[in-house]
Amino acid sequence: MTHDHQLPVIDLSAADRGPQGRARLHAQLHTAAHEVGFFQLTGHGVSAERTADLTRTMREFFALPEADRLAVSTLDSPHFRGYTRVGDERTGGSRDWRDQIDIGAERPARVPGPDEPAYWWLEGPNQWPAALPRLRGVALGWIEELSAVADRLLRELLTAIGAPADFYADAFAGNPHLHLKLVRYPGSAPDGADQGVGAHKDYGFLTLLLQDEVGGLQVERGDGRFHDVPPLPGAFVVNLGELLEVATDGYLKATNHRVVSPPGARERFSVPFFYNPRLDARIEKVPFPYADRAPGATRDPANPLFAEYGRNELKGWLRAHPQVARRHHAALLEPAAA
């Protein structure tokens, strides 16, 4: 893969540098979100110390004996929280060669009543490993700090395309759906397959990814090829999800991306954070002056998008974690009656 087509690098702190700095930031954000759907974010204010603490704690978790990791197995959580072994998650129907722990905002278990949408299952408590008590504070602190960065970024992005900055404030009010994955790619699969995670788009609003120095993330560009995203120390890789594409009728882009496994037995660590609205939020179309230039959102019959955010989210979890789905949510997998 080529190393040209570098992603735009956007300095969020330029918003504090007077009208000219802010105007330049908005011009860069507008171009990146409209043409690429991906960029590197610097000037976000998350300290190197906090990032190092998260990285160290994550490595400690994956260094635990397997029994300690499996003690918080996702298979035991109807809320899809906890540890997933290598090969147990799927993207595009194929096995992903990585293991991970899924952590969300810490909330009480929500069991939907007979007349309530099934997506409320996605709210609930996390599972924390007894062998690594400090993971809880570090992970929840990261969710809180990155939520503030993502909120600010979303407001600047909406401003950049001429939309009201607070247009989605109501959709995120109350209990937004915040989610963090700590991920390890353990090298290539024994069969030689190099799918760390298969090509996909994220289905929410914004993803902020911390990647280590190993690399492997690739983004599909306008030429139809996947290009490497070389790690940039101190930056988050930001990508837009499908709901922002739909809300702007395709003017903002959600872009296919994938991870190619590191060669041999080399490990790669990454931390994606997903900033998404309340599960019951209905995503309204954004009013903005470029709407007449919007090409229309990508429509994929195999992947219909729903205006109610939680339905997209639940659909994704049921596909990605078939064992959890079968164990806890068999009724949701039954084919719809004709």
Side-chain angles (χ1 to χ4, degrees), residues 246-302:
V246 169
T248 58
D249 213 23
Y251 189 79
L252 298 182
K253 277 175 79 149
T255 304
N256 267 320
H257 53 286
R258 67 187 185 190
V259 172
V260 175
S261 296
R266 186 167 192 196
E267 291 184 321
R268 172 185 186 261
F269 294 90
S270 75
V271 186
F273 168 76
F274 303 94
Y275 183 66
N276 290 320
R278 276 194 330 278
L279 291 167
D280 61 347
R282 295 190 70 79
I283 305 308
E284 305 293 334
K285 288 280 174 86
V286 179
F288 68 111
Y290 304 95
D292 59 337
R293 298 185 215 168
T298 311
R299 290 196 176 25
D300 177 356

Side-chain angles (χ1 to χ4, degrees), residues 99-178:
D99 61 345
Q100 64 192 30
I101 182 168
D102 281 287
I103 299 166
E106 189 68 60
R107 307 230 167 97
R110 172 101 187 237
V111 178
D115 300 327
E116 290 187 303
Y119 57 64
W120 289 119
W121 279 112
L122 298 175
E123 278 200 353
N126 293 296
Q127 296 194 80
W128 300 109
L132 187 62
R134 59 192 296 269
L135 177 62
R136 187 180 195 277
V138 172
L140 293 179
W142 190 258
I143 287 175
E144 189 175 342
E145 183 151 7
L146 262 69
S147 293
V149 174
D151 175 64
R152 183 175 185 201
L153 177 60
L154 179 59
R155 287 167 182 271
E156 298 295 355
L157 175 59
L158 289 169
T159 304
I161 62 166
D166 61 352
F167 187 72
Y168 286 117
D170 287 349
F172 282 86
N175 286 342
H177 195 67
L178 310 172

Side-chain angles (χ1 to χ4, degrees), residues 13-82:
S13 68
D16 304 323
R17 291 194 204 123
Q20 277 181 308
R22 204 143 178 235
R24 194 160 51 246
L25 167 71
H26 290 151
Q28 291 173 335
L29 257 182
H30 187 155
T31 301
H34 172 51
E35 295 181 3
V36 189
F38 258 87
F39 50 90
Q40 302 259 25
L41 187 73
T42 61
H44 43 66
V46 179
S47 72
E49 292 75 26
R50 171 154 252 176
T51 303
D53 191 31
L54 177 80
T55 303
R56 187 168 57 245
T57 307
M58 168 170 56
R59 287 174 178 266
E60 285 173 16
F61 172 76
F62 287 110
L64 292 174
E66 187 180 49
D68 289 330
R69 285 175 275 138
L70 287 174
V72 293
S73 168
T74 321
L75 292 172
D76 298 324
S77 168
H79 314 292
F80 298 89
R81 304 291 177 84

Side-chain angles (χ1 to χ4, degrees), residues 72 74 88 141 152 180 188 219 232 256 316 322:
V72 293
T74 321
D88 277 4
R152 183 175 185 201
L180 179 67
S188 298
V219 172
L232 181 64
N256 267 320

Side-chain angles (χ1 to χ4, degrees), residues 118 121 318 324-336:
W121 279 112
L318 293 172
V324 180
R326 281 195 298 272
R327 177 180 285 195
H328 296 285
H329 303 296
L332 301 180
L333 299 175
E334 302 301 333

